Amino acid sequence: MKVIWNSKLVEREDVKIDMEDRGYQFADGLYEVIRVYNGILFTATQHVERLFTGAKKIELILPFTKEELIQLLKELIQENQIETGNIYLQVTRGVSSPRNHAYPEAEFTTPIFTATTTIVPRNLKMMKNGIKVITLPDMRWLHCDIKSISLLGNIMAKHEAHKKGKDEAILYRGNDVTECSASNISIIKNNILYTHPDGNLILPGITKAVILETARKTGMIVKEETFSLKELKEADEVFASSTTMEAMPVVEIDNELVGDGKRGPVVQLLQELYVAQIESECGLIH
Ligand code: PDD
């Protein structure tokens, strides 16, 4: 499989990245994960927009236009013949030597861009049976809206979940549930969908945005409001959402069942609506 290295498609072994790259030294960079269905990028524009928004927030001047980036990603998918899979892309501020915390002047550094693809089928079994999670205090920084490659806070939380044999960690600050280690979280109570509002405490998930829009179109009441740990645990249904998981039922939290421990009807409906959205962009997926 080829990868992208800056503006070229190359063999992975041919990629050379300097040990003084600021991504390696400071995690000074951004990333995105985009899903591919039927060889077509899903919600590519939204992901690229978020990358450009993040870049602006950290004063990183990206070495391509949005159109050039999408074109390059399409070439990679075609080259690697990806039908259903993920494209992972990462951009760092580039090399600054000698090591210096301060951002170098933009004219003296060239951002480094890489992208890889993986073939990943939709996990229909998991989407039906749901996932088990733990809750943990949200120990991350206060710029969670930036999709930074600095993910220690997130991976430490995911690792805690895995050590307990669970799939995800739902995070909370004070009493408020924020998001998960690698996904957003929403609850359903009395047919109303609640999810943490966008802002600096969560990543503005693209999957969440698609789900909220389709839910609103069906007349469902959607409230982008914080909810507490207690409300999480007393919810009728709970689901996590991300590019790779889509709408994923959460059936157990801290060893206690959510409802009857099975995927509920509202989450199932949201999954169907999400599939309809995928199919409207990428064609039939089953
Ligand atoms: N994770 N919140 C966090 C902390 C995330 O890492 C992700 C995505 C999301 C959901 O965002 P989206 O719907 O745009 O994928 C929310 C990706 C998939 C990852 O890191 O692999």
Side-chain angles (χ1 to χ4, degrees):
M1 281 211 198
K2 290 265 170 69
V3 302
I4 301 173
W5 179 33
N6 298 325
S7 55
K8 288 193 229 72
L9 266 57
V10 298
E11 295 298 336
R12 184 172 167 176
E13 305 79 71
D14 295 334
V15 175
K16 288 188 185 58
I17 295 181
D18 195 295
M19 65 186 281
E20 288 199 283
D21 184 273
R22 294 178 62 87
Y24 184 61
Q25 287 178 322
F26 301 113
D28 184 0
L30 303 168
Y31 78 105
E32 277 295 332
V33 185
I34 310 177
R35 198 87 170 105
V36 179
Y37 300 99
N38 292 328
I40 296 168
L41 288 161
F42 179 57
T43 56
T45 316
Q46 292 92 316
H47 284 275
V48 168
E49 274 299 331
R50 185 169 66 189
L51 181 73
F52 274 73
T53 304
K56 205 167 171 203
K57 287 178 181 168
I58 64 165
E59 298 174 40
L60 173 60
I61 299 166
L62 292 169
F64 36 61
T65 63
K66 293 172 190 169
E67 295 72 27
E68 283 166 349
L69 173 58
I70 290 180
Q71 183 52 33
L72 202 53
L73 298 177
K74 282 183 181 167
E75 283 168 27
L76 184 67
I77 291 163
Q78 205 167 6
E79 173 71 31
N80 291 344
Q81 307 235 310
I82 302 298
E83 278 291 312
T84 307
N86 302 330
I87 189 156
Y88 172 90
L89 60 100
Q90 172 160 324
V91 61
T92 73
R93 203 181 301 275
V95 179
S96 64
S97 181
R99 189 177 193 275
N100 182 355
H101 280 64
Y103 296 174
E105 295 291 335
E107 60 260 44
F108 299 127
T109 42
T110 313
I112 300 297
F113 175 66
T114 54
T116 53
T117 55
T118 43
I119 295 167
V120 187
R122 298 178 67 228
N123 195 336
L124 295 175
K125 201 170 150 210
M126 201 183 233
M127 285 188 226
K128 181 165 185 287
N129 295 339
I131 57 170
K132 298 177 178 178
V133 308
I134 58 167
T135 58
L136 283 178
D138 193 341
M139 304 292 273
R140 301 171 304 159
W141 68 334
L142 294 170
H143 283 298
C144 296
D145 50 320
I146 299 173
K147 202 162 171 62
S148 159
I149 57 171
S150 171
L151 288 171
L152 258 184
N154 303 62
I155 64 174
M156 285 169 78
K158 182 76 122 192
H159 180 61
E160 280 306 308
H162 280 185
K163 278 202 292 195
K164 295 199 163 81
K166 310 298 176 191
D167 306 291
E168 242 304 19
I170 298 180
L171 309 176
Y172 55 90
R173 284 189 199 265
N175 221 10
D176 294 340
V177 173
T178 52
E179 59 176 343
C180 302
S181 78
S183 52
N184 292 114
I185 191 82
S186 307
I187 61 170
I188 312 290
K189 187 72 185 176
N190 300 327
N191 287 317
I192 300 175
L193 191 162
Y194 296 86
T195 195
H196 195 287
D198 285 344
N200 67 315
L201 298 182
I202 65 163
L203 185 78
I206 310 273
T207 317
K208 172 174 76 91
V210 170
I211 293 169
L212 298 194
E213 195 188 333
T214 51
R216 282 186 172 116
K217 275 190 194 150
T218 64
M220 191 183 293
I221 300 172
V222 173
K223 295 193 175 176
E224 293 180 70
E225 290 173 7
T226 52
F227 55 88
S228 66
L229 263 182
K230 186 165 177 285
E231 287 167 317
L232 169 74
K233 294 195 174 178
E234 289 172 356
D236 300 329
E237 299 179 44
V238 177
F239 68 95
S241 61
S242 79
T243 296
T244 47
M245 291 201 294
E246 302 180 11
M248 182 61 73
V250 174
V251 294
E252 187 203 281
I253 304 173
D254 292 335
N255 294 316
E256 281 172 35
L257 296 184
V258 175
D260 61 359
K262 297 208 169 68
R263 172 177 68 176
V266 178
V267 173
Q268 190 172 345
L269 172 67
L270 294 174
Q271 288 177 322
E272 287 162 12
L273 294 171
Y274 193 74
V275 166
Q277 203 54 38
I278 295 170
E279 293 189 335
S280 72
E281 269 191 50
C282 307
L284 295 185
I285 54 172
H286 51 218

